[in-house]
Amino acid sequence: MNTGFYHPSRGVWIPTSEPSREILANYPTGYVSGVPAPPDADYDYDPGSNSWVHNPPDGTVEDVTVERNRRLAAGFAYDFGDARGVHNFATTVSDMNGWDEVTKGAQAAINLGAGSTSFSIVTETGPISVTAIEWQEILVAATTFRQPIWAASFTLQAMDPIPPDFADNSHWP
């Protein structure tokens, strides 16, 4: 059935087939028939309008963490301002592990006074070489991209309740 029944004390029920007269006789007095089936679990029935009202559950700290990680993993574009042009840098957890390797090597080179040491990397755009100093500039760009996402997640996680639309872009940079 695509429609069901409503009673204030029982709520909405949608039978799997048309109820017989005998079954209908046992329904509570004052029930309403013709109630449309709910679109999904995040809807509450409004008997006044005979319609379903979207009422998503509040977000959880875990929900915000998943959304934060999704946004952090999205990556960002970096313009070298030379023939290399704009490269898209991936920032998944696995990618960030690789970043750590380059960061340690670049910092060691700088510490030894060899900031022009070249490192071969692969971005989402393709393979390129960067110097240790250029890598530091990329790290600054990554921080500029990532820190506002972290800050937004901390703000959302501190809310009580966390809004149901926590994943909406209005809550994120």
Side-chain angles (χ1 to χ4, degrees):
M1 285 190 64
N2 291 330
T3 62
F5 302 89
Y6 170 79
H7 188 271
S9 67
R10 184 168 175 200
V12 174
W13 66 97
I14 309 290
T16 57
S17 61
E18 189 66 40
S20 67
R21 280 191 212 138
E22 294 80 24
I23 290 176
L24 287 173
N26 290 318
Y27 279 4
T29 304
Y31 75 85
V32 176
S33 63
V35 173
D40 69 37
D42 291 345
Y43 284 77
D44 292 330
Y45 181 67
D46 176 15
S49 65
N50 189 34
S51 65
W52 292 91
V53 178
H54 191 230
N55 187 20
D58 292 337
T60 65
V61 169
E62 293 79 18
D63 293 335
V64 173
T65 298
V66 168
E67 180 63 16
R68 178 192 65 217
N69 292 344
R70 184 189 73 77
R71 289 173 181 268
L72 287 171
F76 66 96
Y78 180 82
D79 188 350
F80 283 94
D82 60 20
R84 293 171 290 186
V86 176
H87 276 254
N88 294 314
F89 280 82
T91 54
T92 66
V93 170
S94 177
D95 293 317
M96 297 312 289
N97 288 335
W99 281 53
D100 188 51
E101 176 110 4
V102 178
T103 299
K104 288 175 181 173
Q107 189 59 58
I110 291 168
N111 291 348
L112 294 170
S116 62
T117 300
S118 184
F119 294 85
S120 294
I121 65 169
V122 177
T123 69
E124 296 288 285
T125 311
I128 56 171
S129 291
V130 297
T131 66
I133 294 298
E134 286 174 326
W135 185 253
Q136 300 308 303
E137 293 167 353
I138 294 164
L139 290 176
V140 169
T143 299
T144 301
F145 163 70
R146 294 170 62 84
Q147 283 303 300
I149 296 170
W150 282 100
S153 75
F154 297 150
T155 298
L156 281 163
Q157 289 173 326
M159 291 181 176
D160 187 18
I162 294 172
D165 70 342
F166 65 89
D168 187 84
N169 285 339
S170 65
H171 297 289
W172 301 88

